[in-house]
Amino acid sequence: MISVTSKSRYAVLALAELARSGDRPVPIAQVAERRGMPVQFLEQLFSTLRRDGLLQSQRGVKGGYTLARPADRITVLEVVQALDGRVGEEASEAGGIWAEGVEALRGVFRGTTIADIARREADEAGSQMYYI
């Protein structure tokens, strides 16, 4: 009933990568390599995200992709709904506990930004460091 595909998961991680890169355009091949994603798959996702106003592209030698807005103003919910449609529409129509569950998920996605995801990744990477 609640359908969030791997497209959305990959897209959120790719956008977090762009957020970590700052304002400079990042070639899609570089994002794909850093995240271990197929370039063609990422091209499809980025095309949709660009059409939905979440990404900007720049052509040329120094071209690539940047976030269309600051990372703290792009929510996970926006990304998911751009790629997967309205989250849990069927469950929402079913009412009761199903609607409550969907709204809870939407609330988490709505309250989490791409900047939050990038920060979490940085924190997790830091906690995995070993000092001798």
Side-chain angles (χ1 to χ4, degrees), residues 14-27 30-31 34-35 65-67 71 118:
L15 294 184
E17 185 66 38
L18 292 177
R20 292 170 47 146
S21 298
D23 292 335
R24 66 177 176 81
V26 180
Q30 191 175 32
V31 175
R34 287 180 185 170
R35 293 300 178 145
Y65 285 87
T66 57
L67 299 175

Side-chain angles (χ1 to χ4, degrees), residues 72-95:
D72 63 354
R73 299 209 35 234
I74 299 174
T75 68
V76 171
L77 183 63
E78 287 179 274
V79 177
V80 170
Q81 291 190 158
L83 296 166
D84 292 327
R86 189 159 160 82
V87 176
E89 190 64 34
E90 317 82 37
S92 198
E93 292 170 359

Side-chain angles (χ1 to χ4, degrees), residues 40-84:
Q40 296 84 355
F41 182 59
L42 205 52
E43 285 173 345
Q44 293 173 355
L45 301 180
F46 276 22
S47 176
T48 300
L49 296 172
R50 187 180 51 76
R51 276 194 311 271
D52 279 22
L54 298 173
L55 286 178
Q56 293 178 333
S57 62
Q58 180 178 326
R59 295 178 183 245
V61 176
K62 297 196 184 261
Y65 285 87
T66 57
L67 299 175
R69 300 190 307 259
D72 63 354
R73 299 209 35 234
I74 299 174
T75 68
V76 171
L77 183 63
E78 287 179 274
V79 177
V80 170
Q81 291 190 158
L83 296 166
D84 292 327

